[in-house]
Amino acid sequence: MLTIMSEPFSTMRESDAVVVTAPDGSTVRPVGALAGAASFATFELAAGQVSGAVSHRTVQEIWYVVAGGGQIWRSQDGREEVTPLEPGVCLTIPLGTSFQFRGGEAGLRVAAVTVPPWPDSPDEARSESGPW
């Protein structure tokens, strides 16, 4: 009989998370992960701050805006879109999608799932040309 060992469950408070800077310049707090599967993090931009334009080499993301507002530009396979960001908006950033975002007057706060887990490598993201 094959025995599958499961990963131990974990708990973390966002306030205890290590704060890192993403390759796009946003503030990131990775707060949970399932080994090899996915991770959960929060991203923030200050009021008026603009991220660098990037695309991911290995990570896909699902975002949910929890506070503030702003805009995100996404480009993929000849399709471009600028989407207003406000609490309640959920969007995806599939692998290889170019994107850039900016905080509104109250800044921007996003909760996100990354698949696979958030990378530790700064060269995971490629610099791209964005609108801002």
Side-chain angles (χ1 to χ4, degrees), residues 30-99:
V31 292
L34 292 170
S39 64
F40 186 83
T42 59
F43 300 87
E44 292 184 20
L45 283 180
Q49 183 181 357
V50 177
S51 76
V54 298
S55 64
H56 289 297
R57 297 175 195 271
T58 62
V59 175
Q60 303 185 86
E61 299 178 351
I62 301 172
W63 287 18
Y64 184 78
V65 180
V66 295
Q71 294 179 307
I72 186 169
W73 164 82
R74 291 174 288 172
S75 177
Q76 177 191 54
D77 299 328
R79 177 180 169 211
E80 283 191 63
E81 182 175 294
V82 174
T83 304
L85 299 174
E86 60 186 30
V89 169
C90 184
L91 59 89
T92 62
I93 303 175
L95 187 64
T97 300
S98 300
F99 68 101

Side-chain angles (χ1 to χ4, degrees), residues 1 6 15 19-20 26 28 30 33 41 50 64 79 81 97 105 113:
M1 173 188 268
S6 65
S15 60
V19 178
V20 297
S26 61
V28 180
V50 177
Y64 184 78
R79 177 180 169 211
E81 182 175 294
T97 300
E105 292 179 11
V113 173

